[in-house]
């Protein structure tokens, strides 16, 4: 009787041992090593990034966090405004494509010197103060900075940005036409600089007329992955580019 009981116990312990051994083997096979995890993460970070550098001239970042002194780009006139000479052909082609959608499309504003931007900015601040005398100047500036940058923080000084609209009054831009134009932009190396869903990143409210040249490869990537310029440059830097 005792011998039989010992045999049963031995069988039970043997079964338990085999189950535990199988479980350990399964965990070892299914859990990736630290090296594998790092490799996988690296591949995700590096996937399909364009072969460009965050320091390339067309990716210069100018905003309130990255102000610049006067840049003095080499300028050329296109349709009554001035842009960096290196993007002249792309601007002309983009404008022609936009005008094929609406003959009313026109370039409203492009290059502005830091000094001129100061005049524009201060004019907006004074308008806010006149409209509401109870505002302090700091309060007025905070309002203005949702749609206009202080001198030194506007990318208009790069010569790589311009405003294009169906009317001189940018607030009256036709949204339906603007969306069609936006779909063409990347083909010529431009992106809509201040999209609706990126205000918290750009600091500027939606503008369906403000375009920025970043180059055709970068523009295509930014549009595909829904990236603001700030996000794109950060991604490039994170990957050593």
């Amino acid at each position: 009787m005792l011998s039989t009981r010992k045999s049963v116990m031995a069988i039970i312990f043997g079964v338990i041992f085999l189950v535990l051994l199988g479980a350990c083997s399964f965990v070892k096979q299914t859990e990736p090593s630290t090296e594998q995890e790092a490799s996988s993460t690296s591949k995700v970070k590096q996937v399909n990034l364009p072969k460009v550098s965050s320091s390339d001239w067309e990716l210069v970042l100018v905003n309130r966090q990255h102000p610049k002194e006067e840049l003095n780009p080499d300028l050329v006139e296109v349709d009554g405004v001035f842009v960096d000479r290196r993007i002249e052909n792309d601007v002309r082609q983009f404008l022609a494509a936009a005008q094929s959608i609406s003959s009313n499309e026109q370039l409203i504003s492009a290059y502005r010197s830091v000094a001129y931007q100061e005049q524009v900015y201060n004019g907006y601040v004074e308008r806010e103060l006149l409209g509401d005398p109870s505002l302090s100047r700091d309060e007025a500036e905070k309002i203005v900075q949702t749609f206009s940058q202080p001198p030194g923080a506007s990318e208009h000084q790069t010569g790589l940005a311009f405003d294009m609209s169906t009317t001189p009054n940018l607030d009256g831009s036709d949204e339906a036409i603007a969306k069609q134009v936006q779909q063409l932009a990347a083909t010529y190396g431009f992106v809509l600089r201040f999209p609706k869903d990126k205000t918290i990143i750009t600091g500027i409210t939606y503008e369906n007329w403000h375009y920025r040249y970043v180059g055709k490869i970068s523009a295509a990537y930014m549009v595909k992955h829904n990236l603001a310029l700030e996000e794109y440059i950060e991604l490039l830097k994170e990957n050593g580019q």
Side-chain angles (χ1 to χ4, degrees), residues 23-52:
C24 290
S25 176
F26 175 77
V27 170
K28 186 175 181 180
Q29 290 176 6
T30 56
E31 287 187 353
S33 66
T34 302
E35 184 178 348
Q36 287 174 325
E37 287 176 343
S39 176
S40 176
T41 302
S42 177
K43 288 179 181 178
V44 170
K45 286 182 65 178
Q46 297 284 354
V47 66
N48 296 327
L49 268 176
K51 303 297 183 183
V52 299

Side-chain angles (χ1 to χ4, degrees), residues 44-156:
V44 170
K45 286 182 65 178
Q46 297 284 354
V47 66
N48 296 327
L49 268 176
K51 303 297 183 183
V52 299
S53 169
S54 57
S55 62
D56 289 344
W57 63 268
E58 67 267 32
L59 295 179
V60 59
L61 180 61
V62 183
N63 57 25
R64 290 194 292 276
Q65 290 70 45
H66 301 84
K68 294 287 189 295
E69 299 293 332
E70 193 69 76
L71 295 174
N72 298 309
D74 182 17
L75 301 171
V76 63
E77 185 176 355
V78 177
D79 201 43
V81 302
F82 288 89
V83 298
D84 187 305
R85 187 178 298 277
R86 290 170 290 189
I87 69 171
E88 176 184 2
N89 290 336
D90 292 308
V91 174
R92 292 187 184 280
Q93 291 173 18
F94 183 26
L95 176 61
Q99 289 177 335
S100 71
I101 295 172
S102 171
S103 59
N104 292 325
E105 283 289 348
Q106 56 190 300
L107 300 181
I108 307 298
S109 177
Y111 170 77
R112 300 178 196 152
S113 66
V114 173
Y116 183 65
Q117 181 65 24
E118 184 173 14
Q119 296 178 31
V120 172
Y121 178 79
N122 287 337
Y124 284 135
V125 173
E126 292 303 323
R127 186 183 69 179
E128 294 297 329
L129 291 172
L130 286 173
D132 186 353
S134 69
L135 291 174
S136 68
R137 188 170 186 86
D138 284 346
E139 290 171 332
E141 288 200 38
K142 286 182 180 178
I143 294 172
V144 170
Q145 287 178 13
T146 64
F147 60 86
S148 182
Q149 298 281 33
S154 171
E155 66 178 11
H156 276 285

Side-chain angles (χ1 to χ4, degrees), residues 205-223:
T205 53
Y206 174 55
E207 294 184 355
N208 69 10
W209 57 83
H210 184 103
Y211 288 93
R212 163 62 194 264
Y213 185 81
V214 294
K216 295 174 183 177
I217 296 175
S218 291
Y221 188 90
M222 289 172 66
V223 169

